[in-house]
Each structure stands twice: as C-alpha cells, then as structure tokens.
Amino acid sequence: MRQRLDRVVLDDGTAVAYASIGSGRPLVYVMGWLTHLRLGWELPAERALYEALAQGGRLVRYDRAGCGLSPATQRPASLAYELEQLSAVAATLGEPFDLMGTSMGAPVAAAWAAAHPESVRRLVLYGGWVRGAELSAPGVRENVLGLVEAHWGLGSDVLTDIFAPDADAATRAAQARYQRACSSAATARDLLALSYDLDVGDLLGRVRTPTLVVHRTGDRAAPVAQAEALAAGISGARLTLLPGRSHLPYAGDRDELVRVIRRFLGRPVARRHAEGLTARQREVAALVSQGCTNREIATRLGIDERSAEGHVERIRLRLGFRSRAQIAAWYSAQWGISPPAPGAGARPR
C-alpha cells in the first residue's frame, strides 16, 4: 500500500496533516499521545498494523497539532481542540465512517461519537479510559510530567518501558527515539497532561453507535478497569479483553487485535494460515528458516536491512504468526527441509 499525505487547515490557521491508505469504506483512526505520519509508516510493526486495518477499505489517520507533520501551535491542548482537529479531517470524507481511537485517542473518539452520532457507523476504543485522573496516583503523574519536561530523553525511555514492556531492548530504544522525533518536550508534556485531564464520563451515555471496547489485560499505561468503565458507560458496548501488557496497539499480539477489530467492523478477517506469499516473501521465509538475521537476509537478497525487517513483519501478519520460529517451522512444513536458494522462485515440492 502507498500512503497519501495531505493537510487541512482549521479556522484559526492550525494546519493538520493527515494520511490515507487504501480505498473504499473509511476508517478514521485517532491516534494516541505522540505520532508522526511519515516516521510511523517507516516502522515495520506500526505500518503492518495500518495496512492490516486498511485491507478492503480506506484508513485515515492524522498528526494532531504540534506532532509529526503538523506544525506547532500556540493554542493550549484541550478536548475541544482535539475535536476541532478531528472534525476538520472528518469533513474531507463527505460520508459516514467507522471511527477508532487508541490510548488518548479513545476518549476523544468517544466524545466525537457522542456529539456526532449520525457520522459514525461503528466505534472502536482500544487502550482507552474514562477519566485520565484515574490512570495513576497524583504524585506519579506529576513526576512523569516533570521528567518529560526536564529531561525528554529519559522521559521517553521511561514511558516506552511502560507502553511496550514486552518489546526487546532494541525495539524499546527505537520507540523512544521515535517519540522524541514526534514532538518537542514542551508539546509532549502538554499532551500528556491533557491525557491525564480528559474525562468523558458525562458523555458516554450519549453514545448510540455500536461500540467495541478492546483492551489488553496487563496494560500498564491504562488499567483494565478503565476499559470496563468505558464499556459500562456506553449502552450495548461490547468488551473484549486480550492477553498482553503492551499499550501500543502494534506491539504484542497485533494480529489478534486486528482480527477482533475487523470482525467487529464487518470486514473480512484473514485466515491465520493463508499461504499467498509473494515470490520475494517466500525467499525471505526461506532465509528465516535457515536462521538468518534481518541483516543477513538483506545481504543475501541485495536489499537494505529495514526492507528485510518489513518483509518479515508482513510474512508474520499474512500467516498470523507471532515469531520468526513459527515462520521457520511453517516454511519447513510447507516447502520441505531444504529450501530453495534465494532467487530461485521457491516452488512447492
């Protein structure tokens, strides 16, 4: 899939960058705390999530003011400002849409659905909360805000450990660098403070859109009790709890999360063991089965290491696997113990 970038301008001059992939029925994705449309698209795990959600439709996501490709602004962060930005992006669609909010984007999406029920077909809330003040004790919140403001490097490291505790050290380091590239320390602090201030308890009763609340049971950033409160506050909402500790939707078992969401939205759900790999993906799977690292795969195929990593992630997503070991076992079972040399086209025996 190719990402198409554009922007909208609010009445006050705020420019909001947004991205679209795919075509067809739209799903507007309100992202969490800090985002960067271009850099996020370059991260294999994050991109795989977006591509999976966009299959058979159109996925629209945006950088809130001061993040990623959206310039900084003098306006203070607030729920009203968040809804203005979402409204500007939604206006580009010209039709009702599915709406998904993750993390801080979940209460924002719920507030939008409460105010604009005619615009939303189905609502998905992942990793969200009703009252940000209940995410942690007041002293903890103040310490985290102070750390982000005073030492953005250390603050991003600490928050990455909370958001993606199951990721390896290299992945956590990359995620921390990504957060720092998304915004300034001041913007990061202000948006984190807003996430603690958000309270949609009085709005949930007005949500009439069919709603899925999905949450990982061990989420360290947003206690599962907040998901239960979200579901309880929205009439008829469905609550689905998944195992795992990662707050980031593309970390942990991303594939199962995608299946749950697509099933709720009424979109086709990929079979867990589909075999429709491209010729290049079969070559990569062959090398994975030989125990090659991403760097070794890149060298053998004459591509860069990031491309090799992306191929491995797409193979995992296509097959519904969680690890390289599962790819290797599948390849051996499907294609034989002695995989063909790269470039040979990898034909079944």
Side-chain angles (χ1 to χ4, degrees):
M1 291 185 176
R2 299 188 63 179
Q3 176 173 251
R4 303 178 297 278
L5 296 173
D6 206 337
R7 72 172 193 164
V8 290
V9 180
L10 277 59
D11 291 341
D12 68 353
T14 298
V16 176
Y18 70 95
S20 300
I21 59 172
S23 61
R25 177 175 155 191
L27 168 60
V28 176
Y29 186 102
V30 186
M31 298 197 281
W33 177 41
L34 300 179
T35 64
H36 197 300
L37 294 174
R38 180 173 54 80
L39 296 182
W41 187 245
E42 294 174 357
L43 293 176
E46 189 170 350
R47 177 170 175 167
L49 171 71
Y50 301 145
E51 290 185 324
L53 290 173
Q55 289 292 333
R58 178 187 179 195
L59 180 71
V60 179
R61 36 191 251 287
Y62 62 95
D63 285 335
R64 56 177 48 86
C67 289
L69 302 180
S70 295
T73 175
Q74 296 302 311
R75 285 185 60 178
S78 68
L79 177 58
Y81 194 22
E82 288 284 317
L83 294 176
E84 279 186 53
Q85 295 174 69
L86 174 52
S87 177
V89 173
T92 67
L93 301 176
E95 62 176 307
F97 51 87
D98 296 321
L99 180 62
M100 177 176 174
T102 69
S103 185
M104 172 182 164
V108 173
W112 173 271
H116 305 276
E118 74 290 343
S119 70
V120 184
R121 290 192 181 101
R122 289 182 178 269
L123 175 66
V124 177
L125 306 176
Y126 166 79
W129 53 85
V130 178
R131 298 176 181 85
E134 297 177 3
L135 294 178
S136 58
V140 173
R141 298 198 302 273
E142 289 305 316
N143 286 337
V144 172
L145 290 171
L147 181 60
V148 168
E149 185 173 27
H151 198 308
W152 187 200
L154 181 57
S156 63
D157 289 338
V158 170
L159 288 167
T160 296
D161 287 340
I162 295 173
F163 294 157
D166 293 326
D168 58 41
T171 300
R172 291 200 303 273
Q175 181 63 34
R177 290 194 299 272
Y178 169 60
Q179 286 181 152
R180 293 192 292 273
C182 288
S183 80
S184 66
T187 296
R189 191 266 179 208
D190 290 347
L191 289 174
L192 187 59
L194 172 62
S195 70
Y196 291 143
D197 289 340
L198 288 174
D199 185 338
V200 294
D202 293 340
L203 303 177
L204 297 182
R206 292 159 48 192
V207 176
R208 294 291 180 262
T209 303
T211 301
L212 169 68
V213 177
V214 59
H215 210 92
R216 288 179 175 139
T217 55
D219 190 329
R220 296 170 61 191
V224 71
Q226 287 297 310
E228 295 169 343
L230 272 174
I234 300 174
S235 178
R238 180 188 308 175
L239 174 63
T240 298
L241 300 179
L242 300 176
R245 300 189 302 162
S246 293
H247 182 65
L248 299 177
Y250 48 85
D253 190 353
R254 175 190 64 235
D255 304 335
E256 181 58 24
L257 176 63
V258 168
R259 278 190 286 272
V260 168
I261 293 169
R262 289 186 63 88
R263 190 175 294 116
F264 173 75
L265 295 178
R267 304 187 179 200
V269 177
R271 291 182 299 160
R272 185 175 278 271
H273 297 293
E275 299 177 12
L277 301 186
T278 66
R280 174 63 86 189
Q281 288 170 341
R282 290 197 295 271
E283 290 176 346
V284 172
L287 293 173
V288 169
S289 74
Q290 295 175 21
C292 292
T293 65
N294 289 340
R295 179 171 297 179
E296 291 167 338
I297 292 172
T299 300
R300 295 277 290 274
L301 297 181
I303 59 179
D304 61 54
E305 188 173 351
R306 177 168 288 179
S307 294
E309 182 181 4
H311 283 307
V312 173
E313 285 298 313
R314 287 172 179 78
I315 292 168
R316 284 204 320 106
L317 182 65
R318 181 72 61 86
L319 300 179
F321 293 150
R322 301 184 185 184
S323 68
R324 298 171 76 95
Q326 288 180 302
I327 295 174
W330 172 86
Y331 186 92
S332 297
Q334 294 293 321
W335 309 99
I337 299 300
S338 300
R347 295 291 185 265
R349 299 182 174 184

